[in-house]
Amino acid sequence: MQAVELIRKKRDGNALTTAEINWLVEQYTHDHIPDYQMSACLMAVYWRGMDARETSDLTLAMAHSGEELYVRDSISPVVDKHSTGGVGDKVTLALAPLVAACGVAVGKMTGRGLGHTGGTLDKLESIQGFRTALSREEFMRVLTEHSIVLAGQSDDLAPADGKMYALRDVTGTIESIALIAASIMSKKLAVGASHLLLDVKVGSGAFMKTLERARELAQTMVSIGQLAGLHTVAAITAMDQPLGRAIGNALEMIEAIAILHGEGPPDVSELCYHEAAELLLMTGVASNPADAEERVGQAVRSGAAVAKLAEVIAAQGGDPHQIEQPHLLAVAPVRSMLVAPCSGYIAAIESEQMGLASMYLGAGRFKKGEQIDHRTGFILQAKVGDHGHVGDPLVKIHARTEDEAEAVQESLLACYTWSDAPVLLGSMIYDIVRPL
Amino acid sequence: MQAVELIRKKRDGNALTTAEINWLVEQYTHDHIPDYQMSACLMAVYWRGMDARETSDLTLAMAHSGEELYVRDSISPVVDKHSTGGVGDKVTLALAPLVAACGVAVGKMTGRGLGHTGGTLDKLESIQGFRTALSREEFMRVLTEHSIVLAGQSDDLAPADGKMYALRDVTGTIESIALIAASIMSKKLAVGASHLLLDVKVGSGAFMKTLERARELAQTMVSIGQLAGLHTVAAITAMDQPLGRAIGNALEMIEAIAILHGEGPPDVSELCYHEAAELLLMTGVASNPADAEERVGQAVRSGAAVAKLAEVIAAQGGDPHQIEQPHLLAVAPVRSMLVAPCSGYIAAIESEQMGLASMYLGAGRFKKGEQIDHRTGFILQAKVGDHGHVGDPLVKIHARTEDEAEAVQESLLACYTWSDAPVLLGSMIYDIVRPL
């Protein structure tokens, strides 16, 4: 096979065969196809797209490009969860222990934040001593002993994805449904859970800006899961304003603990409980929606959910007292309050801009590998639909210095749109996409 | 500027600005943009195309990427000619001295053959001692002293084109009208003639397979010339069967000499004389078509045209006796005759396949840098429209060995299609595209 022939074939709008896709991914992973051919090929895929069979083949080839964990061979059912990312999205932090407390094992590998969206790994690392770089043996031991493990994404899993993603990032080929779906699903298939819940965010603060694109991505990933034997369900959920009230790593960890206590902000709590119930239904642990909701509520009320978080934190070297007493988490030295410049209803909070503002405080990274400050961020005092008056508290800023706290105010205020008329909020969950 | 932003812009179907195109070409030429970004960009250009202004900007940026000769500053008018390439296309070999003999200077840089199409440079090098690697000073001296120079393409001219062409070749981005036009015209602009005649071949043996594509390429190049101040005319001509009767380097040189004597095959001779007349009209040396044809005929009949070829051969170190007595050119050791396997009219001769067959004899190269044998090739004994009987001479094969002469026969026969009914031949020249 010749790489240039396959580029031409895709360029001309033809589907690549399974053998051709396997060859491309294998040769590229082993540096036998140079980046300049793969980038032309990726642009051709961006242009022409891939059908369901091609996308599934690409995903499997990437999943098979390195080590594979097959966690479901050791414990079953075992669930995995992935969110396409948003601002203030701490759902995984609460969802994983909540589901594990309900008797469903959770084996989760997770990544760092980049740009305006945070990463679950960074949020977890706000806990003192918590280790996320686990060997394969540690991962499997923690999972089987505690029914939950929360680890960093291993570079040995789906290395083709890591290599292709880095190339796509600098060649304008990120925003392809087929390539996004293959990238996400290849890592999930390499872990090898039995059930996967996807949270596809849609809205101004999300990667998918329209419901149509979000639905296409959700359907593509559910279809890949179906073809590859991984029971996958995708929730399409709103990311029109930051999720919950906390933005920033330790601040979001604290909010996740509140959710597990049943004391979190309503939007993010409901989303978390609903997704947990969906996982109980998918795995057959709950027999119907009412049963699932009841089990989730019981795990929260009994304290089993927050105890499960403390358990996994301890199992991975973290300090569980920081879960039991979240005030022990490191706090930013400067806290100041941004107040409302006018009276009225909050009509919109531009979450992408707010994510960027939090990066300025050190809560996120502009480039891979940058250090972040786990302590900084924002606590929203009011959300979309709330009414307030001039001078009412709007955002509590947690910053490293007075200067940074001051400097961020203008861009924070620019995130807000006000209305004289009341603002109606829609549902958090737009749709649930299940296998056909 | 960021390369990835420009890739995205083109990917989304937007036109790049002049400044953006200049920056891309300059940064790429100096290795500040890596191949993997340029190849993604080229695929986006392949997909979205470029408008006339962008294509002209790209061409000028490539023309300015290295040394520039500005030959028209030393001698004017001075003409240049380019053919998009075909099988048996020796027109430039005869056209250049013919036009120069009519009093119009010709400054021509030319390339080597690759694949099924030959290169003028290779054909010229069948003359013993002929040097085509000229310094800038030699090029200008031969041109001003003899009104003609025939040199190899300098790597110092339009280096961006050389670099981009090599990348396009391995990334499936050759067949873009904008990129083909920019590649051809950038080299012509860097030489800097005052007038340019393009021969855009169309048909089974040409790069452009349809008249529509050929016309689009011709119009694009004429428009670039117009925007860049180079008076350009494009002839769209037939390449449905090999041009003339000779295929192979020395064999085509001999046929070119015959054309200059007025003794060449009718198809290629008429094309050559017609294009020469067009150049005399373009430059104003002839006042009308009849005057132009008369001057061309006179140069042939007087022997001035063939004398001009001998003159430039001598000026560049070649043996002019080989022009005066072409039988002095090296001949292949083996000559054998392929005969017609049936009776009837020749309906078609597949020229691309015939070009490939000549490569097998050593007359062309599969890869850049390969040595070729100047002596080998074919002399067609019959062409499309001719009638013959079983056993009549069909192709005279000039080969290095009996085995190679034998081995090539089957693929040669496969080039022919026969008909019981007479076959009508169309015109060689489909159209002439002039500036608007």
Side-chain angles (χ1 to χ4, degrees):
Chain A
M1 261 180 243
Q2 292 260 317
V4 66
E5 293 304 327
L6 303 190
I7 298 171
R8 282 204 195 105
K9 189 173 177 182
K10 179 43 74 182
R11 176 198 77 184
D12 294 342
N14 301 304
L16 300 178
T17 67
T18 305
E20 286 166 346
I21 289 171
N22 287 343
W23 182 84
L24 266 179
V25 171
E26 195 190 318
Q27 296 293 307
Y28 182 62
T29 307
H30 294 98
D31 299 328
H32 299 146
I33 290 177
D35 282 338
Y36 57 77
Q37 288 189 314
M38 186 51 89
S39 66
C41 189
L42 290 167
M43 185 59 83
V45 169
Y46 184 101
W47 170 12
R48 299 297 195 171
M50 280 186 150
D51 65 27
R53 196 266 310 147
E54 284 179 288
T55 309
S56 165
D57 283 343
L58 176 64
T59 310
L60 284 166
M62 287 159 67
H64 297 331
S65 67
E67 203 186 342
E68 292 177 77
L69 289 181
Y70 305 107
V71 296
R72 66 174 172 242
D73 289 354
S74 303
I75 186 166
S76 187
V78 54
V79 306
D80 199 348
K81 190 250 176 179
H82 182 84
S83 162
T84 60
V87 177
D89 184 3
K90 68 282 292 175
V91 170
T92 297
L93 294 174
L95 179 72
L98 179 51
V99 169
C102 294
V104 176
V106 181
K108 171 86 182 124
M109 284 200 174
T110 183
R112 297 195 186 282
L114 187 64
H116 72 278
T117 60
T120 299
L121 201 58
D122 295 317
K123 295 168 194 177
L124 284 165
E125 285 177 348
S126 62
I127 307 283
Q128 213 173 11
F130 188 71
R131 287 194 312 110
T132 56
L134 304 185
S135 69
R136 180 185 183 136
E137 290 66 35
E138 282 177 297
F139 185 93
M140 295 308 298
R141 185 179 49 75
V142 175
L143 173 59
T144 47
E145 286 180 8
H146 302 279
S147 294
I148 178 168
V149 62
L150 299 167
Q153 183 72 41
S154 159
D155 288 342
D156 300 333
L157 260 66
D161 173 60
K163 205 174 167 205
M164 279 171 63
Y165 194 90
L167 185 63
R168 286 166 56 208
D169 194 33
V170 292
T171 57
T173 49
I174 289 286
E175 303 89 343
S176 148
I177 295 287
L179 296 177
I180 295 168
S183 173
I184 293 172
M185 293 299 287
S186 65
K187 287 177 286 200
K188 298 295 150 194
L189 291 176
V191 172
S194 59
H195 298 76
L196 169 64
L197 182 71
L198 297 165
D199 185 347
V200 178
K201 298 288 183 201
V202 59
S204 61
F207 197 56
M208 299 285 122
K209 303 293 184 197
T210 67
L211 188 55
E212 190 190 358
R213 291 272 292 175
R215 199 185 299 278
E216 196 186 341
L217 177 61
Q219 279 164 345
T220 303
M221 293 195 288
V222 168
S223 151
I224 292 169
Q226 198 169 12
L227 287 166
L230 168 57
H231 184 166
T232 304
V233 168
I236 301 175
T237 70
M239 179 42 66
D240 287 317
Q241 64 170 333
L243 203 52
R245 294 182 176 272
I247 299 164
N249 299 282
L251 299 175
E252 292 191 45
M253 193 71 224
I254 293 167
E255 190 167 281
I257 296 165
I259 296 168
L260 291 174
H261 281 299
E263 292 158 4
D267 61 342
V268 65
S269 297
E270 276 160 33
L271 182 61
C272 179
Y273 301 156
H274 198 98
E275 293 191 353
E278 184 69 40
L279 278 166
L280 299 190
L281 277 172
M282 282 170 71
T283 51
V285 167
S287 50
N288 58 60
D291 180 27
E293 276 170 44
E294 172 52 28
R295 284 167 189 263
V296 168
Q298 178 60 24
V300 170
R301 286 189 301 273
S302 69
V306 76
K308 188 51 98 171
L309 178 59
E311 180 185 340
V312 69
I313 294 296
Q316 294 181 218
D319 175 7
H321 294 105
Q322 294 193 320
I323 304 304
E324 291 145 19
Q325 300 166 64
H327 67 269
L328 294 176
L329 284 162
V331 287
V334 173
R335 273 156 286 171
S336 68
M337 187 65 77
L338 177 72
V339 296
C342 58
S343 299
Y345 293 91
I346 299 176
I349 307 176
E350 227 291 47
S351 27
E352 189 161 339
Q353 290 307 315
M354 192 161 275
L356 293 172
S358 77
M359 286 165 73
Y360 177 79
L361 296 182
R365 52 177 72 81
F366 292 88
K367 281 184 187 175
K368 261 190 187 175
E370 278 181 349
Q371 286 295 320
I372 59 168
D373 191 317
H374 292 98
R375 305 167 303 172
T376 57
F378 307 121
I379 301 286
L380 308 189
Q381 308 296 308
K383 295 200 59 178
V384 171
D386 289 349
H387 185 271
H389 297 281
V390 179
D392 278 356
L394 196 61
V395 182
K396 191 164 185 183
I397 301 167
H398 292 237
R400 291 175 292 202
T401 64
E402 294 282 356
D403 282 353
E404 286 186 354
E406 180 92 21
V408 86
Q409 293 195 8
E410 195 178 336
S411 43
L412 265 184
L413 278 179
C415 298
Y416 284 80
T417 310
W418 304 84
S419 162
D420 288 333
V423 176
L424 286 178
L425 278 180
S427 167
M428 279 296 294
I429 300 181
Y430 292 128
D431 201 2
I432 305 277
V433 179
R434 298 191 171 83
L436 295 174
Chain B
M1 264 180 240
Q2 292 259 318
V4 66
E5 293 305 327
L6 303 190
I7 298 170
R8 284 204 195 106
K9 189 173 177 183
K10 178 45 71 184
R11 176 198 76 185
D12 294 342
N14 301 304
L16 300 178
T17 67
T18 306
E20 286 167 345
I21 290 170
N22 287 344
W23 183 84
L24 266 179
V25 171
E26 196 190 316
Q27 296 293 308
Y28 182 61
T29 307
H30 295 99
D31 299 328
H32 298 148
I33 290 176
D35 283 338
Y36 56 78
Q37 286 188 315
M38 186 51 89
S39 66
C41 189
L42 291 167
M43 185 58 84
V45 169
Y46 184 102
W47 169 14
R48 298 295 194 171
M50 278 186 152
D51 65 28
R53 195 267 309 149
E54 284 179 287
T55 309
S56 167
D57 283 343
L58 176 65
T59 311
L60 284 167
M62 286 159 67
H64 297 330
S65 67
E67 204 185 343
E68 291 178 78
L69 288 182
Y70 305 106
V71 296
R72 66 173 173 243
D73 288 353
S74 303
I75 188 165
S76 186
V78 54
V79 306
D80 200 349
K81 189 248 175 181
H82 182 85
S83 162
T84 59
V87 178
D89 183 3
K90 68 284 291 176
V91 170
T92 296
L93 294 175
L95 179 70
L98 179 51
V99 169
C102 294
V104 176
V106 181
K108 170 85 182 127
M109 284 202 175
T110 183
R112 299 196 183 281
L114 186 64
H116 72 279
T117 61
T120 299
L121 201 58
D122 296 318
K123 295 167 194 177
L124 284 165
E125 286 178 347
S126 63
I127 309 282
Q128 214 172 8
F130 188 71
R131 287 193 311 110
T132 55
L134 305 185
S135 70
R136 179 185 183 135
E137 290 67 34
E138 282 178 298
F139 184 93
M140 296 307 300
R141 184 177 54 72
V142 175
L143 173 59
T144 48
E145 286 179 9
H146 302 279
S147 294
I148 178 170
V149 62
L150 299 166
Q153 182 71 43
S154 161
D155 288 343
D156 300 331
L157 262 65
D161 173 60
K163 206 175 166 204
M164 277 169 65
Y165 194 90
L167 185 63
R168 287 166 57 208
D169 194 34
V170 292
T171 56
T173 49
I174 289 287
E175 304 91 342
S176 148
I177 295 287
L179 296 177
I180 295 167
S183 173
I184 293 171
M185 293 300 287
S186 65
K187 286 176 287 200
K188 299 295 150 195
L189 291 176
V191 172
S194 59
H195 299 74
L196 170 65
L197 182 71
L198 297 166
D199 185 346
V200 178
K201 299 287 186 203
V202 60
S204 63
F207 197 56
M208 299 285 122
K209 303 295 182 198
T210 68
L211 189 55
E212 189 192 358
R213 290 272 293 172
R215 198 184 300 280
E216 195 186 341
L217 177 61
Q219 280 164 344
T220 303
M221 292 195 291
V222 168
S223 151
I224 292 169
Q226 197 168 13
L227 288 167
L230 169 57
H231 184 166
T232 304
V233 168
I236 301 175
T237 72
M239 181 42 65
D240 286 318
Q241 64 170 331
L243 203 52
R245 291 181 179 275
I247 298 163
N249 299 282
L251 298 174
E252 292 190 45
M253 193 70 224
I254 293 167
E255 191 167 280
I257 295 166
I259 296 167
L260 290 175
H261 281 299
E263 294 160 2
D267 60 342
V268 65
S269 298
E270 275 160 34
L271 182 61
C272 179
Y273 302 156
H274 198 97
E275 292 191 352
E278 185 69 40
L279 278 166
L280 299 190
L281 277 172
M282 281 169 72
T283 51
V285 167
S287 51
N288 58 61
D291 179 29
E293 275 170 44
E294 172 52 28
R295 285 167 189 263
V296 168
Q298 179 58 24
V300 170
R301 287 190 301 274
S302 67
V306 77
K308 190 49 104 173
L309 178 59
E311 180 186 338
V312 68
I313 294 296
Q316 294 181 219
D319 176 7
H321 296 105
Q322 294 194 323
I323 304 303
E324 291 144 18
Q325 299 166 66
H327 66 268
L328 294 176
L329 285 162
V331 288
V334 174
R335 273 155 289 171
S336 68
M337 188 63 79
L338 179 72
V339 297
C342 59
S343 300
Y345 294 91
I346 299 177
I349 307 177
E350 226 291 50
S351 27
E352 188 162 339
Q353 289 307 313
M354 191 162 276
L356 292 172
S358 77
M359 287 166 71
Y360 177 78
L361 296 182
R365 51 178 73 80
F366 292 88
K367 280 185 190 176
K368 262 191 186 172
E370 277 182 351
Q371 285 295 318
I372 60 166
D373 191 318
H374 291 99
R375 307 167 304 172
T376 57
F378 309 121
I379 302 286
L380 308 189
Q381 308 296 307
K383 295 201 59 178
V384 171
D386 289 349
H387 185 269
H389 297 280
V390 179
D392 279 354
L394 196 62
V395 180
K396 193 164 185 184
I397 301 167
H398 292 237
R400 291 175 292 202
T401 65
E402 295 282 357
D403 282 354
E404 286 186 354
E406 179 95 18
V408 85
Q409 293 194 9
E410 196 179 332
S411 43
L412 265 183
L413 279 178
C415 298
Y416 285 80
T417 311
W418 304 83
S419 162
D420 289 333
V423 176
L424 287 177
L425 278 180
S427 165
M428 280 296 294
I429 301 181
Y430 292 129
D431 201 1
I432 305 277
V433 179
R434 297 192 171 84
L436 295 176

